[in-house]
Amino acid sequence: MELNGKQKRYLRSLAVNIRPIVQIGKAGLTNEILTSIRNACDARELIKVNILQNSDEVAADVASSIEDMGLDVVQIIGRNIVVFKVSDRKENRKISTDVKNIVK
């Protein structure tokens, strides 16, 4: 889903109050972490990914890997990345219905 500016602003305002769900540590960005990011997005639609201080990963590289999976990177602040994806399960679609109603 391609997000416009107002939709991204709405998602950023929601992301202020959530804690990071996935943390990338010393092992770096592995397939298991990418799978957990995808599963967390299916369950919650909006998540934060935190890159720990002992990791050699760069936030921009992690964000491009996440976007390659088909997820939307809403914001990168320092070592935190806000990720959004419309859930595949209808019962988990709470945020996406609000985002779709936001028009330019």
Side-chain angles (χ1 to χ4, degrees):
M1 176 180 184
E2 188 65 33
L3 300 172
N4 63 33
K6 288 184 179 183
Q7 291 169 331
K8 285 185 180 182
R9 192 174 329 128
Y10 174 71
L11 291 172
R12 285 195 304 261
S13 70
L14 292 178
V16 168
N17 297 324
I18 63 175
R19 299 186 60 119
I21 304 286
V22 179
Q23 295 180 337
I24 300 172
K26 182 170 56 173
L29 189 64
T30 61
N31 287 333
E32 290 81 16
I33 291 178
L34 290 174
T35 303
S36 65
I37 290 172
R38 183 186 311 267
N39 291 339
C41 278
D42 269 340
R44 300 187 176 167
E45 291 190 320
L46 185 68
I47 65 166
K48 268 188 191 176
V49 177
N50 185 6
I51 303 171
L52 299 176
Q53 293 294 326
N54 62 353
S55 177
D56 293 334
E57 296 290 333
V58 180
D61 296 339
V62 173
S64 66
S65 298
I66 291 171
E67 285 179 338
D68 290 342
M69 292 191 316
L71 308 176
D72 292 317
V73 174
V74 177
Q75 184 178 33
I76 301 172
I77 296 181
R79 299 176 77 78
N80 290 320
I81 303 168
V82 178
V83 182
F84 173 74
K85 177 188 177 286
V86 177
S87 179
D88 294 334
R89 292 175 264 173
K90 288 186 178 182
E91 64 269 9
N92 293 340
R93 292 182 191 161
K94 296 179 181 86
I95 298 173
S96 61
T97 54
D98 294 337
V99 170
K100 286 180 184 176
N101 291 333
I102 298 173
V103 185
K104 294 182 182 179

